[in-house]
Amino acid sequence: MTGKVFLIGAGPGDPELLTVKSVRMLQDADVVVYDRLVSPEILSMAPAGAQMVPVGKSPDNHPVPQERINEILLEFARKGQIVARLKGGDPLIFGRGSEEAAHLMARGICVEYAPGITAAQGAASVSGVPLTHRGLASGVRYVTGHRQANGSLDLDWKSLACEDTTLVIYMGVANIGQIAMRLVAEGLSDTTPVMAIAQATTPRETRLFSQLGRITLDVRVSALKAPVLFVIGKVVTLSSEWPASESDLLTVSSRTIAAGQQAHA
């Protein structure tokens, strides 16, 4: 008997943001194959007897290559087991879920999806920074700030540098300097508001408020812990934590970082 694989979006970390379908699939699993970004609070919801298989990757550290992950899922399913493949955020947004599904379906394995709250939505919900807002941002774009094997960020910088659009950068900590420089070069003001939010929706969350011209330095000083999401655009000023004046910006960010570090201790 052949099993099946559930591709489950684990959301940004808060277990209360899981869908009912995600919880049902997870609790039906014989095996849980999970990424590094799945929070411990969500992992604790797995069935007591389920086999837990970590396959997490971090920048420049891929102990379990993607090709091996594909095979692990296939091997368990061929044994007749129900496999919960837990991915941070949504499995079809920068999660390589579609690659895993294609590998499995080409070999006759049934795949079902459970969408998840992606990091951008989670960050918006906890920070009060909307992704769109009338008069400030008529659209939103999700962009990856990292390329496979540290390849060049060959993005369409000119179209991304739009002051009427909210830009959300995933996986961009290592390249935020290059990203900020290119956006300013294409016309975005260096005073464009930026929010960097680390481990959003979890007890370990930290927020940093900055501007495009200084975000590189602020991130370096803050030493934010991954995963970090960047929200760039005028909507950031709608946060209740956005300072009343530019001179207060560093003070507010420093206080936020200190509070986050104390929570992590």
Side-chain angles (χ1 to χ4, degrees), residues 219-259:
V219 166
R220 185 182 306 128
V221 170
S222 68
L224 292 177
K225 302 293 185 182
V228 180
L229 186 89
F230 294 91
V231 180
I232 302 172
K234 291 178 285 188
V235 292
V236 173
T237 63
L238 296 179
S239 169
S240 62
E241 299 176 31
W242 184 257
S245 66
E246 185 173 337
S247 62
D248 294 334
L249 189 59
L250 183 58
T251 301
V252 170
S253 295
S254 298
R255 187 166 58 244
T256 303
I257 292 166

Side-chain angles (χ1 to χ4, degrees), residues 175-189:
N175 293 318
I176 190 60
Q178 177 188 353
I179 292 166
M181 179 185 67
R182 295 298 298 271
L183 291 173
V184 171
E186 291 296 343
L188 272 189
S189 169

Side-chain angles (χ1 to χ4, degrees), residues 26-241:
L26 176 58
Q27 294 179 344
D28 284 344
D30 301 307
V31 181
V32 179
V33 180
Y34 61 95
D35 281 348
R36 179 179 63 92
L37 299 183
V38 178
S39 70
E41 292 84 1
I42 289 175
L43 291 176
S44 70
M45 299 173 67
Q51 182 175 350
M52 306 297 288
V53 182
V55 294
K57 299 188 287 287
S58 59
D60 300 320
N61 182 23
H62 298 176
V64 186
Q66 185 62 51
E67 294 74 15
R68 178 57 189 148
I69 295 174
N70 295 346
E71 289 303 314
I72 288 172
L73 298 174
L74 180 62
E75 289 165 9
F76 282 122
R78 281 179 169 169
K79 293 177 182 177
Q81 295 180 302
I82 296 177
V83 184
R85 174 66 171 112
L86 275 180
K87 289 180 164 291
D90 184 281
L92 300 183
I93 297 181
F94 302 128
R96 305 190 72 174
S98 55
E99 297 176 37
E100 295 174 3
H103 181 85
L104 294 164
M105 291 188 292
R107 290 155 180 81
I109 303 300
C110 176
V111 177
E112 295 183 29
Y113 295 93
I117 299 293
T118 193
Q121 296 167 309
S125 70
V126 296
S127 67
V129 174
L131 298 177
T132 62
H133 186 85
R134 183 177 297 182
L136 293 181
S138 57
V140 57
R141 295 183 68 173
Y142 297 168
V143 178
T144 176
H146 175 75
R147 283 285 191 263
Q148 185 176 6
N150 294 320
S152 174
L153 278 180
D154 52 345
L155 303 175
D156 185 352
W157 299 104
K158 191 172 188 64
S159 70
L160 292 176
C162 175
E163 64 177 14
D164 296 321
T165 298
T166 302
L167 185 59
V168 180
I169 308 291
Y170 287 69
M171 300 171 285
V173 169
N175 293 318
I176 190 60
Q178 177 188 353
I179 292 166
M181 179 185 67
R182 295 298 298 271
L183 291 173
V184 171
E186 291 296 343
L188 272 189
S189 169
D190 61 2
T191 61
T192 300
V194 180
M195 177 180 70
I197 182 166
Q199 304 185 75
T201 80
T202 75
R204 299 161 293 282
E205 177 185 308
T206 306
R207 303 174 202 165
L208 167 68
F209 291 91
S210 184
Q211 295 174 328
L212 206 54
R214 57 186 286 174
I215 186 62
T216 306
L217 177 60
D218 286 351
V219 166
R220 185 182 306 128
V221 170
S222 68
L224 292 177
K225 302 293 185 182
V228 180
L229 186 89
F230 294 91
V231 180
I232 302 172
K234 291 178 285 188
V235 292
V236 173
T237 63
L238 296 179
S239 169
S240 62
E241 299 176 31

